[in-house]
Amino acid sequence: MKFGSRLCTLNVGGRRFSFPADLMKHLPLSRLSRLHGCGSESELLELCDDYDQDRNEFFFDRHSEAFSFIMLYIQHGKLRFVPHMCELSFYNEMLYWGLESSDLQPCCQRRLDDCLSDCFVHFFPEEEQQKPEDPHWLERMRRTFEEPTSSLVAQILTSVSMLFVVISIVMLCASTLPDWKAEETMDQHRIIEAVCIGWFTAECVVRFLVSRDKCEFIRRPLNIIDLLAIMPYYVSVTMTMLTGENSQLQRAGITLRVLRMLRVFWVIKLARHFLGLQTLGLTLRRCYREMVMLLIFICVAMAIFSALAQLLEHGLDLETRNQDYASIPAACWWVIISMTTVGYGDMYPVTVAGRVLGGVCVVSGIVLLALPITFIYHSFVQCYHELKVRSVRCSHSLSAELVN
């Protein structure tokens, strides 16, 4: 189609923008410049929502205010976000018209990067779309082991894995009971433990073999936890074979006892199957800045209040020194217990000034601990909804599989 030098009108969301066709051809917006290469109206309608040939008007069902900011960028060379508009929504408008994030001002680029990292970096990253070279059976096996709600077989494997996790944790707790110290009971415990470890090992090996990216598989947090839960058993068995079951080193081996207690990491394997634990992990990952800020608040308050408490309770009155506050590190314990309003009562101030300081410490703890909670709460709700949507999507695919 030939536009010549006619005046072109862009109707974006009900707002009209008019300029010569030749100027539109040279605009740094790929969608508009491609209009000149269209040979038919059908090709035009692939780039715009509607076209009025009589008035030479193009209709776009897009955000009008966002496009006005894009036009300001064309005129002045500076592109910033629209106030009170979601950064991701504006970025979507930019991509529609043919702009990239590099066109934004540096301050807006940082805001966009933060939003993208918050919305698309998951604690449990989704697998990429199936590549053409992957066989169908390999993709199905990968989904079976990675997505517990993707199929009926995946749900069965998930139930079996959860059963082994529960059994292993129960046996770990029961092994510390005095009645379970008998030799026969310990032998039964070792057999059950070996069966559970065998299942976990086979599951981890199969998931590693069918994974698309082996390096990415090893870097994932849950897979690291799986290794931490499995490896202590093999290390313990190896040390037992080398030192002997009844040797003095075996009975007093602190290393072995620590390795056995590391089996408690098995309970974290439940995060692969429970939405609540997944939400907690994703929230902690996204809110690491708020968590660091909270720790800084607590450390600063501990340094101030512990020094004052040690001075008021032990340093000023030489006759009635409170030995519980003999040092600043000792006073730090009282500060953290007071700020969190736990109040064990194992140490407390006895002077009037110390009690006033204690009241200020408690009130300050309530305020400081409450400051980042709002951000963490909103992030938790957002993470829960995102993971809930993903779970519903997998459930729909399962329903379609059962119907077919």
Side-chain angles (χ1 to χ4, degrees), residues 164 187-201 233-234 237 263 266:
F164 276 108
D187 291 338
Q188 296 176 358
H189 174 254
R190 293 190 187 96
I191 295 175
I192 297 176
E193 181 184 11
V195 173
C196 295
I197 288 293
W199 171 267
F200 296 146
T201 304
Y233 174 80
Y234 293 103
V237 171
R263 287 176 294 174
W266 285 336

Side-chain angles (χ1 to χ4, degrees), residues 217-235:
F217 178 87
I218 296 176
R219 289 196 299 264
R220 290 184 183 178
L222 277 185
N223 296 332
I224 296 175
I225 293 173
D226 289 343
L227 293 177
L228 291 177
I230 294 173
M231 291 305 297
Y233 174 80
Y234 293 103
V235 175

Side-chain angles (χ1 to χ4, degrees), residues 48-63:
C48 61
D49 296 307
D50 201 359
Y51 173 63
D52 189 340
Q53 188 172 5
D54 296 334
R55 294 186 297 180
N56 198 28
E57 183 173 356
F58 301 89
F59 296 90
F60 296 90
D61 188 14
R62 307 301 297 186
H63 198 286

Side-chain angles (χ1 to χ4, degrees), residues 133-368:
E133 61 269 15
D134 286 340
H136 181 66
W137 66 269
L138 183 60
E139 180 64 23
R140 287 182 61 88
M141 182 174 292
R142 183 183 298 116
R143 290 175 57 87
T144 298
F145 281 91
E146 295 292 344
E147 300 180 7
T149 58
S150 61
S151 64
L152 182 60
V153 177
Q155 289 190 347
I156 295 176
L157 289 176
T158 298
S159 302
V160 175
S161 181
M162 291 173 57
L163 179 62
F164 276 108
V165 170
V166 173
I167 292 176
S168 62
I169 295 299
V170 171
M171 296 302 298
L172 175 63
C173 297
S175 63
T176 60
L177 296 175
D179 298 338
W180 284 63
K181 299 297 183 180
E183 188 65 26
E184 296 181 356
T185 306
M186 292 299 294
D187 291 338
Q188 296 176 358
H189 174 254
R190 293 190 187 96
I191 295 175
I192 297 176
E193 181 184 11
V195 173
C196 295
I197 288 293
W199 171 267
F200 296 146
T201 304
E203 181 185 23
C204 189
V205 169
V206 172
R207 291 178 55 249
F208 175 77
L209 293 177
V210 301
S211 63
R212 182 177 290 112
D213 189 345
K214 302 299 189 293
C215 295
E216 178 65 22
F217 178 87
I218 296 176
R219 289 196 299 264
R220 290 184 183 178
L222 277 185
N223 296 332
I224 296 175
I225 293 173
D226 289 343
L227 293 177
L228 291 177
I230 294 173
M231 291 305 297
Y233 174 80
Y234 293 103
V235 175
S236 178
V237 171
T238 302
M239 294 185 64
T240 300
M241 295 174 61
L242 295 177
T243 61
E245 185 67 29
N246 298 318
S247 65
Q248 185 67 23
L249 179 60
Q250 176 70 14
R251 290 194 298 268
I254 298 178
T255 303
L256 292 179
R257 290 195 290 269
V258 172
L259 291 175
R260 289 194 178 102
M261 286 301 106
L262 286 179
R263 287 176 294 174
V264 75
F265 282 111
W266 285 336
V267 73
I268 307 180
K269 287 171 63 67
L270 296 175
R272 196 182 300 278
H273 315 300
F274 285 101
L275 186 63
L277 293 177
Q278 295 178 17
T279 306
L280 177 61
L282 181 56
T283 303
L284 292 178
R285 177 167 182 171
R286 291 186 178 179
C287 296
Y288 73 93
R289 293 187 182 91
E290 288 77 11
M291 300 298 294
V292 171
M293 180 174 60
L294 179 61
L295 291 177
I296 293 175
F297 288 167
I298 294 176
C299 291
V300 171
M302 286 178 59
I304 295 175
F305 287 113
S306 61
L308 293 177
Q310 193 275 338
L311 177 64
L312 296 177
E313 291 293 315
H314 191 269
L316 293 182
D317 194 346
L318 300 180
E319 296 181 358
T320 59
R321 286 186 171 182
N322 192 341
Q323 295 301 322
D324 291 335
Y325 298 84
S327 64
I328 292 179
C332 285
W333 169 252
W334 169 79
V335 172
I336 191 64
I337 294 302
S338 299
M339 291 183 64
T340 56
T341 66
V342 175
Y344 287 124
D346 54 342
M347 56 187 299
Y348 52 88
V350 295
T351 63
V352 176
R355 291 174 179 176
V356 172
L357 178 67
V360 176
C361 179
V362 172
V363 175
S364 300
I366 296 175
V367 175
L368 292 178

Side-chain angles (χ1 to χ4, degrees), residues 20-32:
D22 292 337
L23 177 61
M24 188 178 70
K25 182 179 180 180
H26 296 90
L27 291 178
L29 304 177
S30 60
R31 181 172 292 271
L32 298 183

